[in-house]
Amino acid sequence: MNALKASASKHGDTWLHNLHLGIGHLNLCVKPDDEHFNISETYFKKSLSLLSTADALRNLAIISHARLDHDKAFEYYEEALKAAITSQSKDPYGAKLYIRDLAAESAYQFALLGMTNYTAKLTDANSMVPEFARHTDRFRFGAVQVKPRILVVFEYELYFFIGRLRSTELG
């Protein structure tokens, strides 16, 4: 982190310096609201003020979750997804992977917390999450948590029945 601070001092403070300094301090964090935790938030907000990026927004969502401010975490995740989806990346494949992972992370986090109102907004067929980003186990876990339990059991039994039907056709 000293090299980043020296670079920022020599060449001027940029969004990228602040983003990586925020990541560095978050990695040094032992528990929410310790010194490194609070410093990381300051760096992420400074990075965001210089350039709105999905990375800074995602890290602010993580910080908000740790502070149990899940409403704010959802806002940050939603903004991060919008920023990632609309970014003009020079690496389209990498951008798709990032969007996929961001969608999975956010849906999964809210599902684990039992906050199906947010999970439903993320996993709804009409949400901003593109089709290509809906096929990870974590994203599907979030989607399943929103469905009524009887429907989940029915889908499982139907899947099992089709599998047995196919295996008898082959054998």
Side-chain angles (χ1 to χ4, degrees), residues 40-161:
S40 71
E41 181 182 30
T42 302
Y43 279 120
F44 291 133
K45 285 184 175 180
K46 177 79 186 280
S47 176
L48 199 57
S49 74
L50 296 170
L51 181 68
S52 183
T53 64
D55 291 317
L57 292 161
R58 174 188 171 264
N59 281 290
L60 288 167
I62 291 167
I63 287 171
S64 296
H65 266 312
R67 288 199 170 124
L68 305 180
D69 187 353
H70 305 300
D71 295 333
K72 192 66 178 171
F74 180 77
E75 290 174 25
Y76 280 130
Y77 271 128
E78 201 170 42
E79 287 182 55
L81 277 164
K82 286 177 190 172
I85 290 167
T86 60
S87 86
Q88 300 296 316
S89 176
K90 293 178 181 171
D91 177 12
Y93 181 73
K96 281 186 168 187
L97 290 176
Y98 187 76
I99 293 165
R100 182 202 66 188
D101 291 347
L102 191 56
E105 176 183 308
S106 55
Y108 188 68
Q109 290 296 324
F110 288 109
L112 287 176
L113 291 167
M115 302 185 87
T116 54
N117 54 331
Y118 291 136
T119 309
K121 289 179 183 178
L122 291 163
T123 60
D124 182 78
N126 297 317
S127 79
M128 74 176 99
V129 176
E131 180 60 31
F132 68 81
R134 297 173 169 270
H135 303 288
T136 64
D137 289 341
R138 292 182 301 155
F139 189 86
R140 287 190 297 243
F141 174 83
V144 166
Q145 299 309 306
V146 175
K147 293 182 182 181
R149 201 77 201 131
I150 191 79
L151 183 58
V152 172
V153 170
F154 174 74
E155 285 179 347
Y156 174 76
E157 288 176 356
L158 182 62
Y159 181 76
F160 181 72
F161 174 75

